[in-house]
Amino acid sequence: MSRYVYAFGAGKADGTAQMKQVLGGKGANLAEMTNLGIPVPPGFTISAELCNTYIAKGTYPAELKGEVAGALKRVEELMGRKFGAATRPLLVSVRSGAAVSMPGMMDTILNLGMNDAVAAALAKETGNPQFAYDAYRRFVQMYGDVVLGLKGSRSPFEPLLDAKKKARKVERDIDLPAEDMQALVGEYKAALKKLLPSGFPEDPQAQLWGAIEAVWRSWMGDRAVAYRRIHRVPENLGTAVTVMSMVFGNFGEDSGTGVAFTRDPSTGERRFFGEFLVNAQGEDVVAGIRTPEAVAVMERRFPAAYRQLVDTYQRLETHYKDMQDLEFTVEKGKLFLLQTRNGKRTGAAAVRVAVEMVDEGLISEQEAVNRVSPDALDQLLHPMVDPKAKATVLATGLPASPGAAAGQVVFEAKEAFAWAKEGKAVVLVRAETSPEDIEGMAAAKGILTARGGMTSHAAVVARGMGKCCVVGAKAVEVDEHAGLFSVNGRQVKRGDWITLDGSTGRVIDGRVPLVQPTMSGHFEKFMKWADKFRRLKVRTNADTPTDAKRAREFGAEGIGLTRTEHMFFDASRIAAMREMIVARDLAGRKKALAKLLPMQRGDFEGIFTAMDGLPVTIRLLDPPLHEFLPHEREEVEALAKTMGITPDALAAVVESLREANPMLGHRGCRLGITYPEITEMQAQAIFEAAVNVAAKGVKVIPEVMVPLVAAVPELKHQADIVRRVAAEVFARAKREVPYLVGTMIELPRAALTADEIAEVAEFFSYGTNDLTQTTFGLSRDDAGRFLPAYVEQGLLPADPFQILDQRGVGKLVKLGIELGRGKRKDLKVGICGEHGGEPSSVAFCHTVGMNYVSCSPFRVPIARLAAAQAALAEKGVEDRTAATV
């Protein structure tokens, strides 16, 4: 018989921390804390398995009601209270919790079990009617918003609350007297009745089951679905439901609530970090409703509870061997832990915590390397505000998530998403964010809120995304309806530029220059560990000496792709390229190519010098020639004038090069076969550059790559030209350099005939961008219109241009490697598509035995770490990746 309900509390629990798939992270950790003897309010957790059942069928097993009733009775006995009773009533919270932490993405209901009789009983029992009716009105509002679906524009509650505060001339909810709180309950219920004929349910059992089902439904809510898509959380995990007896931080001045981290989640510094509110419930801290105080203030207000909290956090961090994120409540001076989990943190904090925990003897170097998500390193490589730049500071808030971002101001999440889709850089400005803003937050470069603290929704979500974020900028007055915010009389309107400094909390007027970060200290130490464990080499895609130098600073071990065509798009060179294209005969083309030769040679000299001692793979000209020519009539006429030909003659050339499907047309090696003089010029530039820098003592390792080969005769044709030109250059220079000739495997036929191709090719580099296109029969330029719908509907697990399709494209890659090495045992194999910097794709490249991956310079550290984690996984080292994104 299946079991669905697991109890915890009072020193005994049915679960452990290892049961996250069943109990969710929250339920599993509550059970673990119970087993450790930490004070946790009694409760029970309903298995996450039932969420999927409910979502699929709209129902749940009949026996669940009996199990819940039995678990609830246990809680009643432990608390000495009765659920729904008019004397000593029991109130509970109903919370979500998946195996993977999704902060704020699903729903929670507090103070459940309230009705008129219960509120009156609590008021009498506590002698504090203000507390009783504050809890009651909170519950009615939360139940209406979450369970009855009135959240957002349909919610009638805030205007009623604001009217009461305005009438009393108070700012805080808790300053309203008991009679106003009681009156609000009636007004809330009346507003509910107008919107929903069924109104508010008075029966606590109906409330309980309504809340349980609402938590299940929230798994498929828009914000939860968007979060899972952004963070690649599996859809089938489901959420557990935790029902826990209420403890109250809003009893009065001897009570409070807080959120804390065992280390600073922004920097990783080893200090107790958090926020606390006296006479408040947890939602007041997390939602940013009131601006909290530092958790250290608690030591003065509640010294005994604070000492117990410090002892508890130290025990939990030592037990879990990771930074913990705690939620706690003090009720009449007594401490209760409501949650612990591995804390979300910035990339910088993730690295520092991992390194320092090794130094402290808590974890091994291998565990440290596994603990940091590769994507988290991306945050360390983001820009910062140029310290030399002149900055007009509009306001200063809390530095919630480091880095810097400049963008145009928008005030709505939907607008942020839409503007970003148009290619605009935006900063989302809100009074406070809510979970509904998730897609806009993901689209924005940075996030600014006027309210909230370091553990508010905006702060936690931004840190998880690696977004620059400033919260609690009190001087900022946001008027979303007018599309502006004001700071001391200065207005910033929708579309105006601002810059956020997430490391200092500054909000800066206008667009301020940003500078790139450098790697040192903890980062260098951490990356040395990663390099020690990985087998896979990491190269970079670089087309300029500047890119090559930067990538080398980031740890690149060579260049896996230099795109020679990018060199021709420079304004000073495009004219010679166009002259070559429109030439009517071989002599004309060679005359134009002679102008391009010194330019290419100079480029290669710079790149070879920057990569002294490391291999450099240079791809011969790849794109179709029409890409270098204008297509609008005005542009054609202007170019024709500079080239000394008629507009009609140039237009005829452009038209002759037009193709129905240029990505499958006259490009790659096909250009070199049709116009071998192009291949000759590029080979000459490569080898002349090589011998020139070699003469200066630079160690040069060129690798010439022929693109878009489908059949071995194509490769042989081009390789023969390259090798002939190399011999000619070496003879003239009286100097030789070692080199390789290879090809990109980017067509299915090339992968299927890789054994034949390996007879000529000395290396393979998988161009998985084109290989994905040609395997799926997709145009990556057009597929963006419908691929998101495929992913949302579950037709594809991910966009195959972002994450390598291992089941299809991956099979071709694996087969090509096996065939190629079957013919040439020392065949060097790498990947140079965008997948070369994507962690799961890097792991695949390790598994199939590639020699290296190649990616953009800023992805190099990410690929280095992903390669190390792949090697450790192969050795069976436990993966304890922390809550970083």
Side-chain angles (χ1 to χ4, degrees), residues 822-853:
K823 184 66 67 172
R824 187 187 291 268
K825 294 194 185 311
D826 61 348
L827 183 73
K828 186 186 294 186
V829 181
I831 184 174
C832 62
E834 289 302 311
H835 301 106
E838 193 283 312
S840 67
S841 306
V842 172
F844 171 80
C845 294
H846 171 92
T847 301
V848 297
M850 286 191 185
N851 299 92
Y852 68 87
V853 296

Side-chain angles (χ1 to χ4, degrees), residues 767-837:
T768 49
N769 299 341
D770 274 338
L771 188 57
T772 298
Q773 278 197 119
T774 51
T775 301
F776 273 92
L778 290 173
S779 163
R780 62 177 165 173
D781 296 325
D782 301 312
R785 298 175 186 174
F786 58 86
L787 270 182
Y790 269 53
V791 175
E792 287 169 16
Q793 294 177 43
L795 302 177
L796 286 173
D799 182 336
F801 292 107
Q802 295 179 20
I803 298 176
L804 185 68
D805 165 44
Q806 297 182 22
R807 295 181 63 188
V809 177
K811 280 186 179 177
L812 285 173
V813 171
K814 187 171 184 288
L815 176 64
I817 294 172
E818 291 170 353
L819 290 173
R821 287 189 174 148
K823 184 66 67 172
R824 187 187 291 268
K825 294 194 185 311
D826 61 348
L827 183 73
K828 186 186 294 186
V829 181
I831 184 174
C832 62
E834 289 302 311
H835 301 106

Side-chain angles (χ1 to χ4, degrees), residues 424-435:
K424 296 178 181 177
V426 298
V427 172
L428 178 62
V429 179
R430 305 282 275 162
E432 62 199 23
T433 63
S434 70

Side-chain angles (χ1 to χ4, degrees), residues 8 30 40-44 91-93 95 242-246 338:
F8 60 84
L30 284 167
V40 170
F44 56 90
L91 299 184
V92 298
S93 62
R95 302 168 183 262
T242 292
V243 179
M244 184 162 55
S245 54
M246 282 296 302
L338 308 182

